[in-house]
Amino acid sequence: MLRATLIGTQTLIFFLLNLVLPIGILPVLSYPTTVKPIPQDWSASDLVEQGRAFYTKGQFNQAASTWEQAAQAYESQGDRLHQAMALSYLSLAYQKLQQWFDAEDAIAFSLKLLETGSDLRDTPDYQHIQAQALNTLGSLELALGQPDTALEAWQLATEIYQQLKDDIGITGTLINQAQAMEALGLHRRTCKTLLQALNLDNNCDLS
């Protein structure tokens, strides 16, 4: 009976993960032969948005280059908070490029900047950026085969999103937690966390 229940739970987990996660098909990356230069008068926030556009299109090299420029622009302005945000995005681009050391350096510097921004800790802007950085850290740790560390990062991110009453952030980080739990072999917790993320009946006792 226990084995049958476990198999039923794993089947439900498989179904839920396929429901909430994109199918793992690598995007076709198309890079233009000539890249239009970014205007020199663009603001740091313009660079962040352009980086997002590149990232969404699968143009991760361009995204990394643009977010690096954004981080430098924020640094020149003395804006450590948004510099940390840009570095968090930069780490995501490096992860897509499988440049793991660069990804680690970027997110480590991002988190260090957030630690020094203690005077802004109570602001929603700080909390959102901190949650984003923790989300990025979790993604990196899972990719590097450290699901336990990834889970800790995503749990902290979920707590912040709960304080902010950010339903989208809560759902996303719960789904991320479930991925880490599944990698750790915590099938029942994975199932319950996915059901919580989807606001479904929290019953994983299948047989």
Side-chain angles (χ1 to χ4, degrees), residues 109-143:
F109 193 18
S110 174
L111 292 168
K112 182 178 180 180
L113 287 171
L114 288 170
E115 288 177 4
T116 61
S118 57
D119 55 325
L120 300 172
R121 285 184 185 276
D122 294 331
T123 65
D125 199 15
Y126 175 94
Q127 291 174 313
H128 271 113
I129 291 172
Q130 183 186 33
Q132 290 171 2
L134 288 167
N135 215 8
T136 298
L137 176 63
S139 174
L140 177 61
E141 293 295 343
L142 187 64

Side-chain angles (χ1 to χ4, degrees), residues 189-200:
R189 285 183 63 188
T190 301
C191 180
K192 289 184 176 181
T193 302
L194 283 172
L195 291 175
Q196 180 185 354
L198 297 171
N199 290 316
L200 297 175

